Amino acid sequence: MSSQQKHQIKAPDGLRDVLLEFSIAYLLEQPGDVIDYAVEFFSKLQENRKTTMITAGEPSSPDESIMSHEEEPLVNRYASRRKSVFAETYDPEADDDDDGARAIFPKTDEQRARLCDSVKNILLFRSLDKEQMNEVLDAMFEKKVKAKDYIIKQGDDGDNFYVIESGIYKAYVGEDQKHIHTYDNSGSFGELALLYNMPRAATIQAETDGQLWAMDRQTFRRILLKSAFRKRKMYEALLDAVPMLKTLQSYERMNLADALIPKTFAKGERIIKQGDAADGMYFIEEGKVSIRIQQDAGEVEISNLEKGQYFGELALVTHRPRAASAYAVDNVKVAFLDVDAFERLLGPCMDLMKRNIGDYESQLVKIFGSKNNITDVR
């Protein structure tokens, strides 16, 4: 099957419906942990389905819904979505508007600093590199609001994505406009309609005067969706070249690619420090990295790593402090995998990484004639 054919595969309506319902609930409620929330959400969905089937009995025809109005999916109750609109999915591979005009809204240093502070904890921006983040900052514009102003209304077409700088905002859904969430001087909203080409799933009203930063639909899609697509393709190629990851299934490598975070280090900058607690591991995208161990006479280089190689994993495997430092030999770009994602995604590779410890120990014995401080030499 060709790469083009793979991207033409369409998800079944049932799968898209349930994933969209989950996305609506997650984005509206903004829980702390997506995995815990998903477990709770789908468990409740399953219980509601079982309860409804027991109460209502078998449907009279294949087309009859097994859900009562109370258990009807959020996407039907709240969004009043149009299937023709929902079907207009965005294909980042077919989007070749890179040379088109880009939205730039000039900002003072003070405005840019405030915007940086507002977006730093937004999950959607987490995977952007420095250049992409600067493009996001350029493309966002200020929007001042007064108490009781409607920012978005349920059922309208999506126009902008919003990041909150200040103010309190309430989200309402359904015909009775039930209050379901309050944003208190932080957070973001409006991405759902832009991601899925569907009408607004909720109404957002300002409770107080406030300040928002907005990004138009076209820019949102080009920067965030296309960059996420490119990031996955780039990291998939990087991970495919790592022998340790050959044991992973294709979908496992895709999940790993999505979890990687780009980081850059200037020439001579220390990336990890010997003795520190391990926070994650690193895959080298560009540049060279020097691995050094502190000895009585000073630091001694034991390894020099290049593009496609990785380091920092053994401290995660052994649960010990870093036993070596890593420095950027020149300007270095790495893909960082934090400790939580490491433990969640690299279980199938754990035995191989443990076996590598012995190889690294042998390498150090040849260099130093000792096995001291060799738990993490990469």
Side-chain angles (χ1 to χ4, degrees):
M1 183 180 292
S2 68
S3 174
Q4 185 175 6
Q5 286 176 316
K6 287 182 180 178
H7 291 297
Q8 291 176 343
I9 295 175
K10 296 186 180 299
D13 286 342
L15 176 62
R16 292 195 298 183
D17 284 351
V18 74
L19 291 180
L20 183 57
E21 180 181 349
F22 169 74
S23 298
I24 292 173
Y26 177 81
L27 292 171
L28 289 176
E29 296 184 29
Q30 300 281 317
D33 186 284
V34 63
I35 302 299
D36 289 344
Y37 182 79
V39 171
E40 181 181 359
F41 177 88
F42 287 109
S43 295
K44 288 182 177 178
L45 193 65
Q46 184 180 47
E47 285 303 314
N48 286 341
R49 179 186 175 107
K50 289 178 180 177
T51 301
T52 306
M53 290 180 71
I54 292 172
T55 303
E58 292 294 323
S60 58
S61 71
D63 295 328
E64 184 179 0
S65 172
I66 64 169
M67 292 186 177
S68 69
H69 176 73
E70 290 302 317
E71 284 78 36
E72 186 181 1
L74 284 167
V75 65
N76 293 331
R77 280 185 282 146
Y78 297 156
S80 301
R81 71 175 176 88
R82 299 171 302 214
K83 285 200 174 185
S84 59
V85 174
F86 177 67
E88 296 169 2
T89 54
Y90 173 70
D91 183 359
E93 194 169 36
D95 181 2
D96 56 359
D97 71 343
D98 284 348
D99 297 329
R102 295 183 176 181
I104 298 179
F105 295 90
K107 299 173 182 66
T108 65
D109 291 342
E110 185 268 340
Q111 285 177 312
R112 202 170 185 88
R114 286 192 286 113
L115 177 53
C116 285
D117 189 60
S118 296
V119 304
K120 65 183 180 182
N121 293 319
I122 302 298
L123 185 62
L124 281 171
F125 297 150
R126 191 182 179 202
S127 66
L128 300 182
D129 60 26
K130 185 176 181 180
E131 181 179 349
Q132 292 165 335
M133 180 57 76
N134 283 331
E135 193 174 346
V136 165
L137 299 180
D138 287 340
M140 300 197 80
F141 56 92
E142 281 189 297
K143 181 179 177 66
K144 297 183 183 296
V145 299
K146 297 292 185 181
K148 304 306 177 185
D149 281 355
Y150 286 96
I151 315 304
I152 61 179
K153 291 186 178 181
Q154 182 179 323
D156 286 354
D157 289 333
D159 52 357
N160 296 321
F161 165 69
Y162 298 95
V163 173
I164 298 169
E165 179 181 316
S166 64
I168 297 175
Y169 305 83
K170 290 189 174 182
Y172 303 91
V173 294
E175 294 180 0
D176 58 351
Q177 288 294 279
K178 178 183 177 183
H179 171 239
I180 52 101
H181 186 71
T182 298
Y183 298 91
D184 190 351
N185 287 285
S186 65
S188 61
F189 54 83
E191 67 269 43
L192 190 66
L194 308 189
L195 285 169
Y196 291 103
N197 270 341
M198 60 179 289
R200 295 295 194 186
T203 293
I204 306 291
Q205 185 179 26
E207 187 73 8
T208 66
D209 291 355
Q211 171 78 40
L212 298 169
W213 293 98
M215 180 191 296
D216 69 77
R217 177 193 190 103
Q218 183 178 3
T219 304
F220 175 89
R221 291 192 144 207
R222 179 172 52 78
I223 297 177
L224 294 175
L225 296 188
K226 192 164 187 177
S227 68
F229 172 80
R230 284 180 169 175
K231 168 180 174 281
R232 170 181 279 190
K233 299 301 291 182
M234 178 183 68
Y235 283 163
E236 281 181 357
L238 176 67
L239 297 175
D240 282 344
V242 178
M244 176 187 72
L245 303 179
K246 296 297 184 183
T247 57
L248 296 179
Q249 300 295 323
S250 177
Y251 76 92
E252 291 174 320
R253 280 199 295 274
M254 284 195 297
N255 288 337
L256 181 58
D258 289 339
L260 293 174
I261 301 169
K263 290 190 176 186
T264 57
F265 297 90
K267 180 179 179 179
E269 189 174 355
R270 185 169 58 198
I271 302 172
I272 60 176
K273 180 182 178 182
Q274 183 174 337
D276 282 356
D279 58 347
M281 69 176 293
Y282 302 79
F283 297 88
I284 302 174
E285 294 182 56
E286 297 175 6
K288 295 182 179 180
V289 175
S290 173
I291 306 298
R292 306 174 192 173
I293 286 184
Q294 182 67 44
Q295 298 290 297
D296 293 339
E299 286 188 326
V300 177
E301 182 178 273
I302 61 165
S303 183
N304 202 290
L305 307 177
E306 300 181 347
K307 178 179 178 179
Q309 295 182 286
Y310 55 92
F311 59 95
E313 80 285 5
L314 294 184
L316 302 177
V317 175
T318 61
H319 302 288
R320 297 176 184 173
R322 302 285 193 193
S325 296
Y327 294 86
V329 176
D330 43 25
N331 292 333
V332 169
K333 186 175 182 180
V334 299
F336 175 71
L337 183 69
D338 67 43
V339 61
D340 290 337
F342 174 88
E343 293 176 351
R344 186 175 73 251
L345 299 172
L346 289 185
C349 303
M350 200 65 69
D351 288 342
L352 180 57
M353 285 186 281
K354 288 178 179 178
R355 288 199 299 271
N356 286 343
I357 296 176
D359 296 337
Y360 301 150
E361 288 182 345
S362 299
Q363 179 186 6
L364 280 185
V365 168
K366 289 180 181 179
I367 297 173
F368 301 110
S370 171
K371 288 190 178 182
N372 295 328
N373 299 321
I374 56 175
T375 55
D376 184 10
V377 300
R378 296 191 56 193

